[in-house]
Amino acid sequence: MKGSCLCGAITFEAIDPVSGFSVCHCGQCRKWSGHLWSSTHVPDNSLKIEGEVRWFQSSKKARRGFCPVCGASLFWKHADDDHTSFARGCVDGPTGARLKRHIFTADKGDYYDIADGLPRS
Ligand SMILES: [Zn+2]
Ligand SMILES: [Zn+2]
């Protein structure tokens, strides 16, 4: 599975992708992406990134990787976890993936509803 940012300066390949992904409704993801950020969490050694990702320290333990050219919101990484999340929306071509759950729904914006019946946390 391959993906890229909007301008193509950064590409990534998930070697062992799982078929499900989550969408995060937290305030940070909302600000970062402009609405919601959907991602899949994979072991670091199964994600190959090419290009100069810029990282923003978004909290004490977490940082967010983006393209310094086009600004695409690409990666999320916790300091104590050997996994990285990559943006589901940046995967190229058919993904065969399905949205599996909603997270941080207590922080969701008041301008939309979640109505698909999927698990929430
Ligand atoms: Zn870019
Ligand atoms: Zn979030």
Side-chain angles (χ1 to χ4, degrees), residues 1-5 11-12 88-95:
M1 174 177 296
K2 291 182 177 177
S4 59
C5 65
T11 58
F12 62 89
R88 207 70 217 193
C90 292
V91 171
D92 295 315
T95 68

Side-chain angles (χ1 to χ4, degrees), residues 5-10 67-72 74:
C5 65
L6 180 59
C7 75
I10 296 172
C67 173
V69 180
C70 69
L74 292 164

Side-chain angles (χ1 to χ4, degrees), residues 9 28 30 35 41 48 63 75 84 86 103 112-113 117:
Q28 286 198 357
R30 200 163 63 241
H35 180 37
H41 204 53
K48 195 168 69 184
R63 56 197 186 124
F75 307 109
T84 299
F86 65 87
I103 61 174
Y112 63 91
D113 296 312

Side-chain angles (χ1 to χ4, degrees), residues 57-78:
Q57 194 77 36
S58 54
S59 67
K60 222 171 188 165
K61 289 281 188 178
R63 56 197 186 124
R64 293 168 183 263
F66 62 97
C67 173
V69 180
C70 69
S73 310
L74 292 164
F75 307 109
W76 182 93
K77 171 85 183 138
H78 192 279

Side-chain angles (χ1 to χ4, degrees), residues 102-120:
H102 299 273
I103 61 174
F104 289 96
T105 53
D107 299 331
K108 85 171 194 60
D110 65 359
Y111 58 93
Y112 63 91
D113 296 312
I114 303 170
D116 55 17
L118 292 171
R120 303 179 186 196

